[in-house]
Amino acid sequence: MKNTENKHTFHIPVMGIGFTIDAPVKVAHYGISSVISLVDDKLIEKMRKFYAEKFNLPFQEIAQSDIDCRAKRITSYLNLVDKLAKDKFQEVKDAVATKGHEIEKYIDMLPDFSELKQKFNEAVATNTLSQDLQTWVQNNLSMGSIDVNIMTKLDREYYDKEGNQLPIEYNDAHAALRGFAESNLEGSVVLSAGMNPRLYSYIEKFEDFYPDENGYIKKKIILKVSDYRSSIIQGKFLAKKGIWVSEYRVESGLNCGGHAFATDGFLMGPILEEFKGKRTELKNTTYEIYSKALGSKDRIVPAEAPAIKITAQGGVGTSEEHEFLMEKYGLDAVGWGSPFLLVPEVVDVDGYTRGLLKEAKEEDLYLSGISPLGVPFNNLRGNSRDIEKQKMIDKGRPGSSCPNKNVEINKEFTEKPICVASRQYQHLKIKKLDEQELTPEKYKKAYDKIVEKSCICVGLGTGSLLVNNIDTKREGPGVSVCPGPNLASFNKTVTLQEMVGHIYGRLNIISRERPNMFMKELKLYINYLKDKLADVEEELTPKELKYFVNFQKNLQAGIAYYKELFGECKDWFEEVKTGIYNDLESLEAELMNLELEPTKVPC
């Protein structure tokens, strides 16, 4: 079996559509794992051509007219990324014979407690160029995982030239899954944005998701989740299909980048505590179902449950927070996303956008309504895509030409779905709005909600085109960006080695004061609750009041948990503990001032 052990305790999550589209080519050979978005196959095809030309490799375009172009483009690009990463990794291993810089960089970035790092340094100290050392390096170094992300709800239907709907396997998410499944990669697919039963069932069709005679699974499943309940539901569903979930990637509902899938007031600390307490239950329960399903398919049944990893991401900004999550909750890794937007050698961000990111304060990073999916979306004020959008609004022509059509999911006005950020939809919606007799204030509020929607499925990928000097005539130059609130703590570009050094506490790249990650999330949830209440124009219905009361109670339970947690943690956060306690007191008072009691339920 190949050495696939993770050498680092962090991973780089997917960011946007294009920001990490080629991150594995830049970091996998250093043992660092990262995630590619599979949303935009047109962007993927452009990047495949770019890298084929850069490395003098053959390239044959996969035309849009090919009925299976999406899956084929994804397979071809992933195979190319796999080859490039493996070639670079071999160069790293070969560098030990010539004292090359790349092997030194690989080892230097490992955490200081790494057994691999310690053994390598000991071996070098005794005999740098020995054949034994070269053999040891070949056998013990490993690449970072090349993973992919599929947003399960982005499963657009396709039609032939006669208007007939194509079979479901040509839907966006299905085709993306097939593209990954048929590639050479030994990695994982991160399934995010909730459960899609039809897509989950489609996984059954691909051999690489099943264990071999050694129990090895070539292609693994990672579920991005927000709580334990959804995790075990999805884990059991897949287990019944004979598919094992190898990792549950817990993401903060609000203290993250991209789309914000808020919980009902359940906070990160209590959620991770539940995972810690029920980890064995999760493994045993799903294994029992999994083994029966494999047996019914006459497949190899592993003698014991395959490994399950629990990881977390969202809002982590210091090495102390990183280490605390690992030790307190027994995590296998921690995701670091938004800070890597300021690492040019890893993430594709154009100069204008990176300048905005470096200067961004907390008030510049906000939760918006720009996503066509109707889910709150983290946004950066002044981004070039929003500037383009506003110019069209000012011209009286709101909406996008919708060149990619990735989020065509609305059938309010048309038989075939269209995107709510498109010019077509917004024209029809505004026309309907004009027919209503609304006050100027209500009209403006409704109008602004319509035109706020932005073509992020293009904007989130344009940065990689600009960085690599690839033509953007079709997409336009505007860039959308979706950093988490945590980015406000970082204000300068850094190298990969510097960022990794910061993660492991070897240096500090933060010069601004920042709240503890848990306190920041708590503040975000209280603000979210207040905003939801402010949106209610009429008297609360019993159902609405029940939702808000439960939300408040969940936050109160979270505050009680944190009071106990930080009281018990004597060796953690000592320098900032006074500030944490002050934040807890002030945030609790702010929450209780909302005065939501069940006695106020209207008759």
Side-chain angles (χ1 to χ4, degrees), residues 14-19 256-259 337-338 341 353 357 365-366 368 370 377-380 383 456 459-460 479-485 487:
V14 68
M15 284 186 276
I17 292 173
F19 298 118
C256 60
H259 287 92
S338 296
L341 290 168
T353 302
L357 292 168
L365 304 164
Y366 70 103
S368 74
I370 70 170
F377 187 79
N378 284 285
N379 201 15
L380 171 67
N383 70 78
I456 58 173
L460 289 172
V479 174
S480 303
V481 65
C482 50
L487 190 73

Side-chain angles (χ1 to χ4, degrees), residues 551-571:
F551 200 113
Q552 185 186 43
K553 285 183 177 179
N554 292 335
L555 290 179
Q556 287 176 300
I559 290 172
Y561 170 84
Y562 286 135
K563 285 182 177 180
E564 182 176 352
L565 174 71
F566 290 112
E568 294 175 348
C569 296
K570 303 300 182 184
D571 299 324

Side-chain angles (χ1 to χ4, degrees), residues 335-362:
W336 283 68
S338 296
F340 272 95
L341 290 168
L342 296 178
V343 185
E345 67 189 276
V346 176
V347 177
D348 290 342
V349 181
D350 63 288
Y352 172 79
T353 302
R354 184 168 280 121
L356 290 179
L357 292 168
K358 286 194 295 184
E359 299 300 321
K361 307 295 191 299
E362 285 195 11

Side-chain angles (χ1 to χ4, degrees), residues 255 267 321 362 513-527 555-556 558-560 562-563 566 573 575-593:
N255 199 16
L267 299 173
E321 290 174 349
E362 285 195 11
E513 289 188 13
R514 71 186 300 278
N516 171 270
M517 60 172 290
F518 289 141
M519 296 304 100
K520 178 62 177 178
E521 186 194 47
L522 174 59
K523 176 68 173 175
L524 289 168
Y525 265 102
I526 291 175
N527 288 342
L555 290 179
Q556 287 176 300
I559 290 172
Y562 286 135
K563 285 182 177 180
F566 290 112
F573 307 112
E575 294 183 7
V576 295
K577 193 164 283 188
T578 299
I580 290 174
Y581 285 134
N582 290 338
D583 286 342
L584 279 171
E585 293 300 324
S586 62
L587 290 170
E588 184 174 31
E590 189 175 344
L591 178 64
M592 298 313 297
N593 283 338

